[in-house]
Amino acid sequence: MLFEDTKYLDYKFPEPQYLGAKYVHRGWIAQFIPECVCTVLDAFSGSQSIAYMFKQLGKKVITNDFLSFNNSIGKALIENPNNKLDSSDVDILFSNNDNPIQFNLIEDLYSNLFFLAEEAAFADSFRSNVHKLSNQYKQALALTVMCRSMTRKVTMGHFAHTQALAYASDPIRVKRNRSLIRPLKDIFLDLLPEYNAAVFDNAKENVSYNKNILDLLPKLKNVDLVYFDPPYCNSHADYQSFYHLLETYVEYWKDKRFVNGTKRYEPKRYSGFDKNGEAVSNLQLMFERATHIPVWLVSYNDRSYPDIETMVSLIKPYRNVKVERKTYSTGRGGKGSVAGSSEILLVCTMK
């Protein structure tokens, strides 16, 4: 599919380190977007790589994720038209923690688990200064880059294991990824130019939501296409367990319990899509609530629950469905993307 407006394609989305991210599938997905589409909804935006692709294509983008740290990426790179972090902003972020009683959560919870004590204290100090930035977009950008810096510090880029410091003491692992032993401050400074360069204005009023999609869908009007990339049950669907530290950092919880060896928060946010017992009924409800949107693109995987045949049967009452398939030759991790499995795109059009 050719698009008339390609002037935004030179901007580069910072490559994510996120289970199930569709970053590598952007070109494949883009070919199924009708050229007449003006406004798009990315319903489960995660890393925001597909929402960013829509923005590059000159579309008005409505992006949504029920987790706050993903919404911060949306605020920073999708909704934000032109706000970047300059040297004075960095000076503010790197200034001392003037409220160590209020901002000590990361040091209290994660010292000697994911970070050495001084690194955890730096993360708290940084977080204490985010609100001093001049607007919500700079604040979101600061949180986005720091969250990405934290994932760089942890082997596998997630927080569902307790081996972070052991891995950082392993010379072989450090040789493969020196970020394991680099200060968060240095990683942040290395990443910041890449994120600043990714900020651009596509002359549309884009918006990033932080909602459960079942609640948001009925409230949206004049959307031409929705992209659904729901959690794939049986394939790393519980993102809150993998990325709990990032959500804790952005929300800076004061009313949660922190449980198990990884100090994951409880109670978790309600998804409705990450458990086998709820997935089918909520997928059906989601499709019912999307009937006012003409075109649906649904990403899926052939090793997930429910199976592809069930997904097609859920969609058929509302739309014609064509199944597009892309087979993995090597494993990528997350969402069933192992060698031999197939990435599926269900292209759903009006009857």
Side-chain angles (χ1 to χ4, degrees):
M1 181 64 68
L2 297 175
F3 293 89
E4 291 182 7
D5 195 347
T6 59
K7 61 185 176 182
Y8 307 117
L9 295 181
D10 288 339
Y11 292 97
K12 187 178 186 302
F13 184 79
E15 187 168 345
Q17 185 180 0
Y18 192 89
L19 291 171
K22 292 299 185 291
Y23 179 78
V24 299
H25 300 306
R26 292 165 299 158
W28 181 60
I29 293 169
Q31 66 184 306
F32 300 105
I33 304 169
E35 197 162 356
C36 60
V37 163
C38 295
T39 301
V40 300
L41 165 64
D42 186 347
F44 300 87
S45 56
S47 73
Q48 304 285 348
S49 60
I50 299 302
Y52 193 86
M53 176 195 74
F54 287 133
K55 185 177 181 181
Q56 288 178 296
L57 295 175
K59 311 303 182 184
K60 176 179 177 178
V61 184
I62 303 167
T63 186
N64 176 69
D65 200 278
F66 85 115
L67 293 177
S68 295
F69 80 92
N70 287 331
N71 177 57
S72 290
I73 308 172
K75 286 283 184 185
L77 297 182
I78 309 302
E79 184 175 321
N80 176 19
N82 51 31
N83 293 273
K84 303 181 181 184
L85 296 178
D86 58 29
S87 59
S88 62
D89 296 318
V90 173
D91 288 342
I92 290 170
L93 292 166
F94 287 177
S95 61
N96 292 332
N97 186 346
D98 57 11
N99 193 352
I101 295 176
Q102 171 89 18
F103 288 94
N104 60 5
L105 189 61
I106 304 305
E107 186 175 10
D108 281 357
L109 286 174
Y110 303 117
S111 287
N112 302 315
L113 174 58
F114 293 110
F115 310 112
L116 296 175
E118 58 267 29
E119 288 289 279
F122 171 77
D124 282 322
S125 180
F126 182 101
R127 187 68 182 83
S128 77
N129 294 316
V130 169
H131 74 279
K132 299 175 185 176
L133 299 178
S134 60
N135 62 62
Q136 62 172 329
Y137 299 121
K138 289 194 174 198
Q139 292 167 12
L141 187 56
L143 289 170
T144 293
V145 181
M146 181 51 71
C147 285
R148 183 69 180 89
S149 302
M150 288 177 170
T151 64
R152 289 282 295 272
K153 285 280 292 178
V154 180
T155 295
M156 298 181 285
H158 65 72
F159 304 90
H161 64 85
T162 59
Q163 298 301 305
L165 295 184
Y167 292 157
S169 299
D170 182 342
I172 295 175
R173 290 183 182 273
V174 171
K175 186 176 181 180
R176 291 200 299 261
N177 178 14
R178 285 198 57 79
S179 291
L180 298 177
I181 59 172
R182 296 183 67 214
L184 278 172
K185 181 177 181 179
D186 291 354
I187 298 173
F188 180 92
L189 290 172
D190 280 353
L191 290 173
L192 181 57
E194 184 179 358
Y195 278 82
N196 272 339
V199 174
F200 72 96
D201 185 359
N202 74 344
K204 301 293 191 298
E205 293 185 5
N206 308 303
V207 61
S208 180
Y209 285 104
N210 182 204
K211 304 287 186 183
N212 187 299
I213 192 59
L214 296 178
D215 299 324
L216 181 62
L217 273 170
K219 300 175 183 178
L220 298 176
K221 301 184 185 302
N222 301 317
V223 176
D224 303 310
L225 179 148
V226 57
Y227 172 67
F228 291 120
D229 183 23
Y232 304 168
C233 288
N234 298 340
S235 301
H236 298 151
D238 184 6
Y239 286 100
Q240 292 184 85
S241 291
F242 284 99
Y243 299 107
H244 63 89
L245 187 148
L246 305 183
E247 193 72 355
T248 294
Y249 190 66
V250 170
E251 287 285 353
Y252 224 75
W253 303 116
K254 295 295 182 181
D255 59 347
K256 298 285 189 180
R257 293 180 296 110
F258 296 93
V259 303
N260 69 30
T262 66
K263 301 294 180 69
R264 173 178 57 75
Y265 59 84
E266 283 284 352
K268 292 193 285 186
R269 294 186 185 276
Y270 178 72
S271 165
F273 296 92
D274 57 0
K275 295 181 176 62
N276 286 15
E278 300 175 335
V280 172
S281 60
N282 281 319
L283 286 166
Q284 183 172 21
L285 182 59
M286 181 180 77
F287 295 136
E288 288 176 2
R289 293 184 177 181
T291 53
H292 59 298
I293 302 175
V295 181
W296 308 346
L297 299 180
V298 185
S299 277
Y300 212 60
N301 186 277
D302 64 355
R303 298 197 179 189
S304 301
Y305 177 86
D307 59 24
I308 299 302
E309 291 74 18
T310 301
M311 287 291 287
V312 170
S313 71
L314 292 173
I315 296 170
K316 273 192 170 180
Y318 312 105
R319 293 291 185 274
N320 296 319
V321 187
K322 184 177 181 182
V323 180
E324 301 289 346
R325 185 179 296 267
K326 183 181 180 184
T327 301
Y328 289 98
S329 57
T330 58
R332 291 183 57 244
K335 285 197 174 181
S337 53
V338 297
S341 69
S342 293
E343 188 69 23
I344 302 295
L345 189 69
L346 304 174
V347 181
C348 311
T349 54
M350 296 289 286
K351 288 181 175 290

